[in-house]
Amino acid sequence: MEEQNKYIRFDWAMKRLLRDKANFSVLEGLLTTLLNEKITINKLLESESNQEDEYDKQNRVDLLAENDKGELFIIEVQNNTEYAYFQRMLFGTSKLITEYINRGQGYDHIRKIYSVNIVYFNLGNGTDVVYHGKTEFRGIHNGELLNLTPFQRQKFNVTAVSDLYPEYYILKVNDFNKWSKVPLEQWIYFLNTGDIPSDATAPGLKEAREKLRLERMSKAELNAYYRHLDNVVILRDNIVTARGEGRLEGRLEGRLEGHAEGRAEGINIGAKKTKAGIAKQMKMDGMPMEIIMKYTGFTQDEIEKL
């Protein structure tokens, strides 16, 4: 394999390089590989949902593209953990549906939207690295798939009901670091490691190897890029630290509360003491004041007088 870290991270490239029409071939390659059909980007668009603020600059980047069939592709890279990210995906496509239809137009003018989400955190509970979601309607009695009529297929120029609805792709790239001959897995590998081995065959990676080389950047661009990398590293460290501290705090709190509950129940059943006696015993055992208050209902003043 070639020396790693010779190429610009994809999220930074989306901010600075891939918005240039001369570099559309890289994005086209990713979308072509993902959808398994040739995608040609006509232009990039602006949307309320893909405008950035200072917080976004460190955590996410959006890019909205239109292909030669008028379909919309919103591509998002998300570095930070976001528990409501599934709803965020829904919000993004919903906004586009309303933004790109004119008032008074019929519903048949609603655009087809693809939401491509490249996430560097553990989204949901699953072991795959690429997930695809679409809308289908099935009979609750016989499981039959609801299809379009011949007139609807001709009118909308699609073959299935799901073709009319937004489709979602989630690329969980953070843990994928094994090179493969499968084009989609080559893209996942690049998105995670930033490396493009010499035998890459996936559409768009050949162009990425040429257009995303670090040596093509000016000194000022390199400085800004390295600051971005530092921010990403700090962000991921913070996420890992927060997860670790949260798990530790949860275990300690669970043990403490479990001990308090067990001690209180044992004293109450075994010794048949009053609630005041339980509180006094917990106090003598060195239980924290807030725990004693929680399980006896006494105030701090009442406990201190025991």
Side-chain angles (χ1 to χ4, degrees):
M1 291 188 180
E2 298 177 1
E3 181 184 355
Q4 295 190 10
N5 301 322
K6 293 168 59 175
Y7 305 102
I8 302 166
R9 270 178 57 99
F10 192 74
D11 55 351
W12 182 263
M14 280 178 54
K15 287 175 178 283
R16 303 297 179 93
L17 302 175
L18 301 185
R19 298 174 185 271
D20 186 337
K21 189 175 181 63
N23 297 329
F24 281 1
S25 57
V26 177
L27 286 175
E28 290 172 343
L30 171 60
L31 297 175
T32 295
T33 303
L34 190 59
L35 274 67
N36 199 28
E37 64 175 274
K38 176 62 178 175
I39 301 296
T40 301
I41 296 176
N42 271 359
K43 58 184 176 180
L44 300 185
L45 305 171
E46 282 298 331
S47 164
E48 291 180 18
S49 60
N50 76 320
Q51 293 174 355
E52 299 176 354
D53 57 28
E54 284 301 317
Y55 175 79
D56 292 333
K57 289 178 182 178
Q58 289 187 9
N59 296 280
R60 59 178 282 266
V61 56
D62 281 0
L63 186 149
L64 179 62
E66 178 186 72
N67 71 357
D68 54 354
K69 295 189 291 186
E71 298 170 328
L72 301 178
F73 296 80
I74 181 166
I75 306 169
E76 177 168 340
V77 177
Q78 175 74 10
N79 286 305
N80 196 10
T81 299
E82 187 168 337
Y83 77 95
Y85 192 83
F86 290 112
Q87 294 93 321
R88 177 194 180 116
M89 292 162 49
L90 175 62
F91 179 79
T93 55
S94 301
K95 287 284 290 182
L96 287 182
I97 289 173
T98 57
E99 286 180 29
Y100 283 90
I101 185 171
N102 295 324
R103 179 170 295 180
Q105 283 187 317
Y107 296 129
D108 56 322
H109 287 83
I110 290 177
R111 303 264 203 121
K112 174 69 176 185
I113 298 173
Y114 294 91
S115 172
V116 179
N117 302 271
I118 303 168
V119 298
Y120 289 87
F121 64 97
N122 189 23
L123 176 62
N125 185 17
T127 58
D128 208 330
V129 292
V130 180
Y131 291 85
H132 176 217
K134 62 182 181 180
T135 301
E136 293 181 337
F137 298 90
R138 293 189 177 274
I140 62 174
H141 294 99
N142 58 14
E144 178 188 46
L145 181 66
L146 183 62
N147 293 308
L148 296 172
T149 66
F151 172 75
Q152 288 172 319
R153 289 198 296 269
Q154 181 182 19
K155 175 68 174 177
F156 304 134
N157 194 30
V158 297
T159 59
V161 175
S162 59
D163 295 329
L164 302 174
Y165 283 79
E167 294 187 36
Y168 301 89
Y169 289 88
I170 299 173
L171 284 62
K172 298 171 62 174
V173 304
N174 212 28
D175 297 322
F176 193 87
N177 55 12
K178 183 178 179 180
W179 183 243
S180 169
K181 293 184 178 181
V182 179
L184 181 55
E185 292 183 354
Q186 291 183 1
W187 261 103
I188 301 299
Y189 177 87
F190 165 60
L191 292 172
N192 182 33
T193 67
D195 182 36
I196 309 175
S198 58
D199 59 342
T201 58
L205 287 185
K206 177 181 178 181
E207 292 80 1
R209 186 188 290 116
E210 173 62 26
K211 299 176 183 297
L212 304 186
R213 299 184 72 89
L214 287 173
E215 62 193 40
R216 293 168 62 100
M217 300 175 72
S218 68
K219 184 176 181 180
E221 290 172 333
L222 275 174
N223 289 336
Y225 175 65
Y226 287 134
R227 285 196 300 271
H228 169 72
L229 292 186
D230 290 340
N231 288 334
V232 170
V233 170
I234 293 171
L235 177 62
R236 292 190 185 180
D237 285 346
N238 288 341
I239 292 172
V240 171
T241 301
R243 286 175 179 169
E245 291 178 347
R247 286 193 293 267
L248 178 60
E249 182 179 345
R251 287 196 296 267
L252 291 175
E253 182 177 350
R255 290 173 182 173
L256 183 59
E257 293 190 4
H259 180 66
E261 288 177 336
R263 179 59 62 89
E265 182 178 356
I267 293 172
N268 183 54
I269 296 175
K272 296 182 180 181
K273 292 185 177 181
T274 64
K275 186 168 66 172
I278 295 173
K280 185 176 181 179
Q281 186 64 53
M282 293 174 71
K283 179 182 176 183
M284 293 173 61
D285 286 348
M287 293 292 176
M289 183 65 69
E290 60 269 18
I291 297 296
I292 302 175
M293 294 167 60
K294 177 178 179 180
Y295 290 104
T296 65
F298 288 139
T299 66
Q300 183 172 342
D301 289 339
E302 290 171 332
I303 295 171
E304 289 176 348
K305 292 177 182 178
L306 293 175

